[in-house]
Amino acid sequence: MKSSSVPPPYPSSRSHRHAAGSHRRIPVGSGRASRGLALTFVAGLLAVAGVVLVPNANAAENPFERGPAPTAASIAATRGPFAVSETTVSSLSASGFGGGTIYFPTSTSAGTFGAVAIAPGYTASRSSMAWLGPRLASQGFVVFNIDTNSRYDQPASRGRQLLAALDFLTERSSVRSRVDADRLSVMGHSMGGGGTLEAAEDRPQLQAAIPLTPWNLTKNWSRVQVPTLVIGAENDSIASVRSHSEPFFTSLPASLDKAYLELNGASHFAPNTPDTTIASTSISWLKRFVDNDLRYEQFLCPAPTGREIEEYRDTCPHSS
């Protein structure tokens, strides 16, 4: 069992990204005491003036939190706290991709949700990733599991199709009012994983990217600015971790929020069947970076361990 940690990013790079508004970190502890004192002072002045403050549950420090406080059991569960509905988008209705299935929380009482588009691998259809759609949606996401225009589309094309699917989801879909267009992410398997990296490079405004046993002839992803979790498989004979997942992770900028998880004894097709390690880590990554939810930090840093994990590397700590 191997586990290692990459040194955290340089403060100068981190502060630059914040100033540019590209992401996303919510520092823990810093400024909370001063904000609390300021609020107490204001409340005192209002009380003197005869104004009564009524607590507002919607004015939480992080308005993007969705669902109860997580546990190891809750992120491993096959279903989360949200009931899920689904709707199908035909290839005739789609523009720039091959249609798909949208999974979404049925209730709108929690407000809008972050979203993720998922692309299948070479020669595969969306059915190969269907298990992941409702599992993620039930944790508080809108999930668009897509078909590609052709089963033989290469990674660059799959990346463009992921972005087209997100545009459709936020602009034209029947559930667009449920989606926060500022909190979008991408996932994909095999060439769809390679397409995930392409999409992340092409659209730095994305909040998260998760390539699953990814395949791509391009090995340098130093221009990616999107927090990226690469999931590889130890016994992958199609996109070996030495030729794909590990070089992809290593090439990502040192200043980036990034992680590499290698599934112990798994094959290239591990993401095509229900897998608790893939699901729980993906949920934690999406919650942390799409929802800015620090409650999920505990499942990413320190490094998760277990017999299902051959190796894990991470730029911990995320929230510093």
Side-chain angles (χ1 to χ4, degrees):
M1 188 72 64
K2 296 177 284 184
S3 178
S4 59
S5 180
V6 178
Y10 294 106
S12 59
S13 298
R14 187 174 296 162
S15 60
H16 173 74
R17 290 170 65 205
H18 290 177
S22 60
H23 205 65
R24 332 249 205 266
R25 298 172 190 251
I26 301 176
V28 291
S30 60
R32 289 184 179 174
S34 60
R35 288 197 300 272
L37 289 172
L39 290 172
T40 301
F41 177 71
V42 172
L45 292 177
L46 292 174
V48 170
V51 178
V52 177
L53 288 177
V54 178
N56 182 357
N58 293 323
E61 184 172 343
N62 175 17
F64 304 135
E65 286 184 4
R66 299 289 182 266
T71 64
S74 74
I75 64 170
T78 56
R79 290 294 181 271
F82 292 91
V84 173
S85 300
E86 64 181 75
T87 185
T88 300
V89 176
S90 72
S91 58
L92 296 177
S93 301
S95 177
F97 63 103
T101 303
I102 303 173
Y103 304 89
F104 56 95
T106 304
S107 173
T108 59
S109 61
T112 56
F113 298 92
V116 55
I118 305 175
Y122 187 69
T123 75
S125 70
R126 68 181 186 265
S127 64
S128 66
M129 302 301 297
W131 70 273
L132 194 54
R135 193 159 179 168
L136 294 179
S138 69
Q139 295 285 348
F141 297 101
V142 175
V143 182
F144 200 176
N145 184 31
I146 70 168
D147 277 325
T148 48
N149 290 321
S150 163
R151 295 193 179 201
Y152 308 101
D153 290 333
Q154 295 298 300
S157 174
R158 289 169 191 264
R160 291 190 294 271
Q161 292 180 61
L162 281 167
L163 297 180
L166 289 176
D167 292 339
F168 177 92
L169 185 64
T170 58
E171 297 169 6
R172 295 173 49 202
S173 76
S174 61
V175 301
R176 60 188 179 277
S177 63
R178 300 171 185 261
V179 180
D180 184 343
D182 292 326
R183 296 190 294 118
L184 306 177
S185 56
V186 286
M187 297 180 70
H189 171 238
S190 190
M191 282 195 183
T196 297
L197 291 164
E198 301 272 0
E201 183 176 75
D202 290 344
R203 189 172 293 182
Q205 297 85 0
L206 294 174
Q207 303 293 290
I210 307 178
L212 305 169
T213 59
W215 188 99
N216 200 310
L217 293 177
T218 299
K219 308 303 178 184
N220 186 346
W221 299 99
S222 59
R223 295 171 54 194
V224 170
Q225 301 176 41
V226 178
T228 301
L229 166 65
V230 180
I231 298 182
E234 182 185 18
N235 293 339
D236 192 334
S237 59
I238 295 174
S240 71
V241 293
R242 289 188 178 183
S243 300
H244 295 270
S245 292
E246 288 183 332
F248 298 162
F249 170 78
T250 302
S251 73
L252 292 167
S255 59
L256 185 69
D257 288 313
K258 63 178 182 175
Y260 170 69
L261 186 153
E262 186 174 313
L263 299 167
N264 184 34
S267 78
H268 182 69
F269 300 102
N272 294 153
T273 55
D275 185 285
T276 298
T277 301
I278 291 174
S280 60
T281 311
S282 297
I283 289 165
S284 299
W285 195 262
L286 294 173
K287 284 287 191 179
R288 174 60 189 86
F289 293 106
V290 175
D291 288 357
N292 284 330
D293 196 334
L294 293 176
R295 299 177 300 172
Y296 289 81
E297 188 94 359
Q298 61 183 303
F299 307 114
L300 301 169
C301 181
T305 59
R307 58 186 178 184
E308 301 86 2
I309 299 175
E310 169 63 20
E311 182 180 0
Y312 188 89
R313 297 180 239 169
D314 196 330
T315 51
C316 279
H318 301 291
S319 57
S320 61

